[in-house]
Amino acid sequence: MDLPIARDVAPRIEYVPASASTNADLRLLAEDPLGWPHLSTLITRNQTAGRGRLDRVWTAPDGAALAISIVVRVSVEPALRGWIPLIAGIAMADAVAAQLPARAVGVKWPNDVLVDERKICGILAEATSDAIIVGAGVNTAMTAEQLPVPTATSFAVEGAAADEDRLLADYLRGFDAHLAALAEADDAVSSGLHAVATERITTLGRTVRVSLPGERTLDGVARELDDEGRLVVRDGGVDHPISAGDVVHVRPLAD
């Protein structure tokens, strides 16, 4: 797979013809920090047993999607690590928007990338002993008949042929820039990340339903992001900071 632009961004990019899960494979490879330094990337067009959030299975026909996993070795304070999947979502949204300029591209908290309210990419971050693996699955050539759910989309469905090299390069460059700024400032607000996320995340200002651990749900208005990247949902006049959960946009805009 020829990726001249992306290879100028990352220290190592490896393409494999097939993988059960690029995240799982990279977890093992990342045990060699010299061979797989920060921002090293493993990709495939044929992921057969990928996982999403809440251990959902993520699969796509061979050649219809691009699975991307990167190694993160930049140190940030534990309280700020919740920003890493958000950074990935923001960076991917920017990369997608660059190729779909006529579409409304945004992020459903915490990291689903939407095109006109339909999902084109999901992201999953997983910690290892000394690194974080960030995986992304982007629907590239998937046809309308191949979409897993009616609320999904792809570059092909949107009438575009994805430039995978440019997409990967833009994603890696944006991810690394936001992460470096966060690590240097040690604060999401002063680094500018909080403002960027507030602009990109379309969940804010909407009525949402959040599925929480323990089969609990929370209905309310997504008011803002706090300093740790948590979604603050107001229900009955009480603000609830949410660090993890499955979010559904109940209405386009809150009253």
Side-chain angles (χ1 to χ4, degrees):
M1 188 176 186
D2 191 21
L3 299 164
I5 304 173
R7 293 187 193 280
D8 280 341
V9 179
R12 180 173 186 174
I13 296 178
E14 295 290 339
Y15 170 78
V16 293
S19 169
S21 165
T22 54
N23 263 28
D25 289 347
L26 193 53
R27 284 177 68 94
L28 297 176
L29 295 169
E31 293 178 2
D32 173 14
L34 294 179
W36 293 84
H38 172 66
L39 217 63
S40 292
T41 304
L42 183 68
I43 58 176
T44 188
R45 293 194 185 102
N46 185 19
Q47 181 168 254
T48 59
R51 291 185 301 110
R53 286 183 296 111
L54 305 179
D55 284 329
R56 295 191 180 102
V57 176
W58 185 87
T59 60
D62 186 3
L66 187 66
I68 306 164
S69 292
I70 61 178
V71 178
V72 178
R73 298 194 189 275
V74 172
S75 179
V76 296
E77 292 296 322
L80 297 177
R81 289 176 187 168
W83 282 102
I84 291 176
L86 287 168
I87 288 173
I90 293 164
M92 184 60 77
D94 289 343
V96 169
Q99 297 192 39
L100 296 175
R103 303 290 193 271
V105 182
V107 180
K108 186 182 78 169
W109 187 94
N111 46 33
D112 283 346
V113 179
L114 308 182
V115 175
D116 291 336
E117 296 299 312
R118 296 195 295 170
K119 183 176 176 178
I120 197 170
C121 174
I123 290 165
L124 178 68
E126 302 176 285
T128 71
S129 58
D130 62 352
I132 294 174
I133 309 298
V134 179
V138 190
N139 298 334
T140 50
M142 195 175 291
T143 66
E145 293 73 23
Q146 292 171 330
L147 293 174
V149 291
T151 53
T153 191
S154 70
F155 278 93
V157 170
E158 299 298 328
D163 182 335
E164 293 175 331
D165 187 16
R166 180 186 173 199
L167 181 76
L168 182 58
D170 287 349
Y171 170 57
L172 292 172
R173 191 180 293 113
F175 179 89
D176 199 37
H178 286 307
L179 182 62
L182 177 65
E184 181 178 357
D186 203 25
D187 178 79
V189 175
S190 60
S191 71
L193 175 60
H194 191 280
V196 172
T198 299
E199 181 70 23
R200 262 294 183 210
I201 293 177
T202 61
T203 304
L204 301 180
R206 298 181 181 224
T207 299
V208 297
R209 172 165 293 164
V210 187
S211 297
L212 301 169
E215 299 184 353
R216 296 176 297 130
T217 60
L218 174 66
D219 294 323
V221 176
R223 304 289 294 178
E224 61 183 355
L225 299 175
D226 70 8
D227 291 351
E228 297 180 14
R230 296 178 297 183
L231 184 69
V232 179
V233 177
R234 179 168 294 179
D235 175 30
V238 178
D239 286 341
H240 303 266
I242 306 300
S243 58
D246 199 31
V247 174
V248 174
H249 292 168
V250 177
R251 292 202 301 269
L253 290 173
D255 296 331

